Structure formats: structure tokens, C-alpha cells
Amino acid sequence: MIFAVIIILLFGGIAYFHYAQGFFSATLSAVCAAAAATVALGYHESVVLGLLGGAAGDYANAMVLMGLFAGGYLLLRTLMDKMVPGQISIPHTLDKVGGGIVGLIAATFATGIVALGAQMMPFGPSIAGYARYKVETREEVTIPAAAGGSRQRTASVQDQLTEATFTAENKKPLLLPVDDMVVSFVSGVSAGALSGKQKLADVHPNYTDELFAQRLGVQVGAKRVALNLPGKTPQVTVPDKAGVFRVDADLTKAAVDAELDNVHDRPVKPTKGASDVQLVVRVLFTKDAADPDGNVRLSTGSVRLVGGGKSYHPVGTLEGGKLWANKLDDYLIIATKTEDRGADFVFFVDEPSAILSGNAKDPEQKVQDGVFLEVKRLATVDLSGQPVTTAIPRSAKPIRVERKTEVLKRNGAPPAPKPGESGGGDAAPGGGAASSAAGLPFTYARADVSKKLFSPVNTGSPDKDLKNQTIQSGTLSTQSSQFTQLDITPVQSLTILRQGANSVDELFEPAGKKLLQIGGAPQPEGGDPWAWGQLSKWQVVDAAGKSYPPSGGFAKVRKEQADRMVAVYNANGTPKEIPSDEGRPTEFWVAFLVPSGTHVKEVKFSGKTVSPLDQQVQ
């Protein structure tokens, strides 16, 4: 508690100085300190983003806060001394007692600003022995061998939160909570006598908790801030359309702990209230947000959704329709060295009306005005008016958080992305324990109602209607610029296959029918990676027990250091089986044309249940 002792000593010194100065002088000083603290706390972020342009980002907030306070105080005190050059005669006892009391007020503002400034610095969770919430250090932690390695390692875990999130019983304010006092005062005047367009509480509902959260889960030497500067390309964005969506199925039932068991010492089990809305915000990062090695380092504590005077931190990230749960101080890494990437952050919102308009039964919801997302302190994104979809949207950018090998072995890799959605690089789906236990040669991932092909194909012709068109990779037919027939082999890379102005990425659906696509991946090791391609063995079964055969199958294939495509599709008949190839499929989709309105209850392969479903196809 060295930090708390320093604050107490500083507080005592400032209070004694004002006691010695007397009541009148101390009163002027306290007024100047209160005014300077209000200006500093209210405008420090605007100065950092506007005047400094994000320079010295990791330190800028602290320097500007304390600089504004010191400069404002000295300016006001100098003006006061010039306006009132003399002392006023006051009875000695009143002068000293009054000076001491008012000195406590001045000391509160001065030391409060110092305490806040220190908490804005790029320290770890603890500052000279002080952490706002209970943390623990574990000296002997066994870390499993990394991929390709043969040795496990031992390490120490420093200043780790004892709980997954902030809990009142683990909160430890300063012995003299001057930081909370200053924030409370400025919040009060910003909502009252000095109110303007925006109150401090609208942006910082609990500033001291936020400052602590921002120091969690970021490695030493990593960037502590991301920058969205006026007039410059933002480092952090949320797509204007399909950037905010809602998941109605209870994510906690299939949630997995996204960190190593040994590191956490206990599993993370997110819980939500009966009325909580599971809101997901898709956050994209550019390489400028990354550290020199191309990785963006952050934690769920670095991200907050703000609306209605309340901050929400994510409970984890969504990948493959599954919640990967995290503590607030878990390390998250997003690789942006070769391309922009993102993550889908999941928030449990217990007051939906503060964030969303209407209710879940409305055909369309939007984000309320004034709601915003903050990432790594200086990157804010206004979400006002954003439409809220009710399905996981496709993304042109990979949506992927890097995972430890042992975490993937324990939980199975994030399942295959939706058709047309990038799942990210070399983290191919696979290893699902449930599928292998059932004796299936692949891992089931998800079911989606979609007519999108996972990657476009250049038809080689501007015509909308084609019959048995031949291209280098195979043959195709189209109707109204949608594929009615496909027979594509992995000759060209996906990059070459989709190049050109005549690219098509939609499959034709006959009248009254819809496409249901089942996604999955081969087992990561052993077995026949092409076994799933025996399309005649697949079927989906509806609520009445009627079964439907596939109309096509598609796969992303890794061959000769490039991703390629295998695809067969027949909108008006039975597709051929997918032949084995010397490449290895990393993701696959099997497509079924079923009548619109069908309630699919089960997916089968070779007579075995792949997965029960509760999918309304419409």
C-alpha cells in the first residue's frame, strides 16, 4: 500500500500548508483547486485527441490532466493574489481552524488529481502495491508446451483478478478515496451548475473503475491506447451495417473458458439475468492499432460499451456461434500484420432500454442516441442509430482472436464461419470432441440459412444467364447471376478465382425453396479428410420426419501453399459426389434445398446424428 501512503503524506502536507496560510488564503486556494480540477477532468481527453493529436498516447492523459490542473491552479491563484493582494484580519482561532478545514478541501482536489493521473499511467493492475480490486499473485504456474514444442514451462502470474469481473466485495478504494471524491464532485457540477451538452457521467459513469480496467490484460511494453483521431483514418471501427447484432439463444449454456485452466486457477462461467440482452459488437482493427510485431494486445477490460449512464465490459468474444468467455484481465491478441482483423465482443446488457430502442419483439431495433464503444482508452466509435440485426452477419474481414493450442485442444477450434464470412487464417476449425466421440470423420460447426458461396467465382462472362460455361477451374451455369450448377476443382487459388468484374457469390434457389448450409471441418489429424464429401450419405430431417438430400457441397482446400475451392452444386437435381484431392480441406459446407418454412430438427451422415437442430428455414 505504498501508493496509498504516498497519497496520505501528500494530502497531509498540502493540508498543513493551507493551515499555516490561514483561512482566507486557504479558501482562495481551495476555490482555485476545485475550478482547476473541474477543467482538467472535463477537458483532458479533448486536449489529448485535438491539440496533441494522440502524441505520447500511453502517457498523454496523465500528463495533460495534471498539466491542466497545475496550469489552471497557478493561473487562477495568480489572478486571485493580484485582485486581493492583502490578507483579511480574522480571529486567530477561526483563522487556523478554518484554514485547516478548507486546507483539507484543497488537498482533496490536489491529491485526487495526482491519484487519477497515476492511475492513467501505463502501469500494471497494481500501482506501488495498490489495486482497486482484489488481485493475487501465483508463483508456480505450469504452462503446457506450445504448438510444436516438447517442454512445458513454469511461470508466475502477477496481480491477477481473483474474480472474472468487478464485484463490490472485492473493491478496495484508497484509504483516503480522494480520486473518487474528485470524480464525484466534477460529475455533480457537470450535471448541475456547469452542465452542458454532455455530462461527465455520460462518458465516464465510473471513471476510477475504468482506469483500473484499462490497465488489465495488456503486456508490459505493449501499446496501452488505440487512436481514433479527427480527420484521420481510425484505428478501430465498427461496421455501419451489421456491426451490432443480438443473439437470442442463451450463449452461457455452451460457453467455454478461453484461457488455460492453470492460468485461471478456476473456470470462467458467465451468467446472465433473465432479462439480459446478449448484444454483440463487431470491432475491426487496422495494423496501425497494433504493436510493432503486428499484434493488437488488449483485454475485455480495455473495451467498454457506454449508454444510459452505465458502462458494460464484454464477457468474452463470439466465434462460430460460441461464447469464448474471459476474465476482465485475460490477454487477448488479434493478429493484423497481414490484414485488418476483428473480434465480436459479447455484452450482457441488463438495462436494454438504455442501449436499444424498442424491445426484442420489434421487427427492427436500433442503438439509442449517445451510445458509444470505447477501445483502449482513446478509440471511441459512436453507435447512435446503428441497426441491430438478429443474425450473426458475414464479414469481409477475418473475425478471429488468437487462441492458445491447449485451449483449442480442450474446447475444439472455433467452428467454420458462415458462408461468405472469413474465419481467419490458419486457425482451421477442427478437433471437436463431440463429433469424434460419435465416430464421425469430421467436426460439425453450424447451420445457416444462406445462399452465399464462401468465396466468389469469376464466371468469365458479363452475361447473367449462362449454360455450361467453362472456366479454368471447371464448369458452371447461372440464372440471374446466381449459380444453378457448379463443378469447381482446386486448380486456381481463391484470389485468382474471384478476380475480375464478373464474380458471382450467390447460389440459385428455386421458387419456394431456401438453402440451408451445414458447416464443419475434417478432423485435424488422421482419418480421411474427404470423407464428408460423400454427399449421398448426408440428409437433414424436418419436424415431421421427412428427410432431404443435399444439393451441393463446397470446401476451402489448402494446396500448394494457397487456399483453393472445391464445389459441386445442382439447383435442379442431384449433385455428384465430391472426389478426393491431393489437397486438404480446412472448412466445408453441405447445402440443402428445402421448402421455405421447413422446421429442420436433425442433421445426419451415414445414418448417424451429426447434430440436433432447431432451425426454422425461411
Side-chain angles (χ1 to χ4, degrees), residues 159-396:
D159 295 334
Q160 182 184 60
L161 283 177
T162 59
E163 301 296 334
T165 187
F166 295 156
T167 54
E169 58 270 22
N170 286 328
K171 189 172 183 176
K172 299 191 299 180
L174 285 168
L175 295 177
L176 279 176
V178 288
D179 49 352
D180 289 315
M181 293 179 184
V182 171
V183 171
S184 179
F185 173 83
V186 177
S187 293
V189 298
S190 73
L194 299 179
S195 61
K197 293 181 179 180
Q198 195 172 52
K199 298 178 291 186
L200 180 65
D202 291 337
V203 180
H204 300 293
N206 192 329
Y207 204 5
T208 43
D209 275 9
E210 293 165 28
L211 295 178
F212 179 70
Q214 289 166 359
R215 301 197 308 274
L216 299 175
V218 181
Q219 289 95 329
V220 176
K223 285 184 180 180
R224 298 304 182 96
V225 301
L227 298 171
N228 283 2
L229 300 175
K232 295 186 178 181
T233 302
Q235 296 179 359
V236 178
T237 57
V238 174
D240 293 334
K241 296 181 180 179
V244 182
F245 55 97
R246 196 183 72 226
V247 178
D248 294 332
D250 190 349
L251 293 173
T252 63
K253 292 182 178 179
V256 298
D257 188 347
E259 185 51 274
L260 295 173
D261 295 335
N262 289 350
V263 173
H264 268 168
D265 198 31
R266 64 180 65 84
V268 175
K269 297 180 179 179
T271 59
K272 72 178 189 69
S275 61
D276 288 2
V277 169
Q278 298 171 143
L279 197 66
V280 185
V281 181
R282 176 161 291 167
V283 184
L284 302 177
F285 299 86
T286 70
K287 63 181 180 180
D288 293 327
D291 294 314
D293 64 355
N295 291 319
V296 176
R297 291 173 170 82
L298 74 164
S299 67
T300 54
S302 309
V303 181
R304 64 188 185 101
L305 178 69
V306 185
K310 189 170 183 178
S311 288
Y312 296 92
H313 290 288
V315 295
T317 57
L318 186 72
E319 285 189 54
K322 187 191 315 185
L323 173 59
W324 295 70
N326 291 101
K327 283 188 176 184
L328 278 176
D329 58 349
D330 282 350
Y331 296 126
L332 301 181
I333 295 178
I334 299 172
T336 60
K337 187 173 183 178
T338 58
E339 59 188 336
D340 296 350
R341 289 189 176 184
D344 286 342
F345 290 99
V346 181
F347 300 85
F348 288 172
V349 180
D350 59 0
E351 296 180 16
S353 61
I355 303 295
L356 304 176
S357 63
N359 57 64
K361 295 182 180 180
D362 291 341
E364 179 179 317
Q365 284 186 283
K366 291 187 177 181
V367 179
Q368 296 276 26
D369 289 343
V371 174
F372 68 91
L373 185 81
E374 180 187 86
V375 181
K376 298 190 76 171
R377 188 176 295 176
L378 293 179
T380 58
V381 182
D382 184 10
L383 301 179
S384 299
Q386 276 256 37
V388 180
T389 65
T390 55
I392 301 175
R394 289 179 286 274
S395 174

Side-chain angles (χ1 to χ4, degrees), residues 326-574:
N326 291 101
K327 283 188 176 184
L328 278 176
D329 58 349
D330 282 350
Y331 296 126
L332 301 181
I333 295 178
I334 299 172
T336 60
K337 187 173 183 178
T338 58
E339 59 188 336
D340 296 350
R341 289 189 176 184
D344 286 342
F345 290 99
V346 181
F347 300 85
F348 288 172
V349 180
D350 59 0
E351 296 180 16
S353 61
I355 303 295
L356 304 176
S357 63
N359 57 64
K361 295 182 180 180
D362 291 341
E364 179 179 317
Q365 284 186 283
K366 291 187 177 181
V367 179
Q368 296 276 26
D369 289 343
V371 174
F372 68 91
L373 185 81
E374 180 187 86
V375 181
K376 298 190 76 171
R377 188 176 295 176
L378 293 179
T380 58
V381 182
D382 184 10
L383 301 179
S384 299
Q386 276 256 37
V388 180
T389 65
T390 55
I392 301 175
R394 289 179 286 274
S395 174
K397 304 292 185 182
I399 305 301
R400 173 189 166 194
V401 176
E402 301 301 302
R403 308 288 182 191
K404 297 182 176 71
T405 302
E406 287 300 315
V407 172
L408 296 179
K409 286 182 179 179
R410 183 186 64 204
N411 299 307
K418 287 186 176 182
E421 176 186 39
S422 175
D426 54 5
S435 291
S436 59
L440 296 173
F442 53 81
T443 300
Y444 165 80
R446 67 200 299 167
D448 296 298
V449 179
S450 174
K451 62 179 180 180
K452 285 282 188 181
L453 189 61
F454 73 89
S455 183
V457 174
N458 188 343
T459 64
S461 171
D463 294 341
K464 294 183 178 181
D465 299 315
L466 299 170
K467 184 69 173 178
N468 295 325
Q469 173 82 352
T470 300
I471 61 174
Q472 185 175 345
S473 292
T475 60
L476 55 88
S477 299
T478 62
Q479 180 176 327
S480 302
S481 294
Q482 295 177 324
F483 292 117
T484 58
Q485 176 269 328
L486 273 175
D487 186 358
I488 302 296
T489 55
V491 174
Q492 297 172 291
S493 69
L494 293 180
T495 302
I496 296 174
L497 188 63
R498 62 176 172 246
Q499 281 181 347
N502 303 312
S503 292
V504 173
D505 67 351
E506 289 191 346
L507 303 166
F508 180 79
E509 295 173 324
K513 293 188 176 182
K514 291 288 185 180
L515 273 164
L516 174 67
Q517 297 197 45
I518 304 300
Q523 293 296 331
E525 297 178 0
D528 180 6
W530 292 94
W532 64 272
Q534 303 171 70
L535 297 183
S536 59
K537 294 185 177 183
W538 286 87
Q539 59 181 189
V540 293
V541 183
D542 67 13
K546 184 177 180 179
S547 61
Y548 302 88
S551 295
F554 324 102
K556 180 187 290 187
V557 179
R558 192 69 178 174
K559 182 179 179 180
E560 297 175 358
Q561 306 303 312
D563 287 330
R564 303 168 189 265
M565 177 187 290
V566 165
V568 296
Y569 181 68
N570 190 337
N572 302 301
T574 303

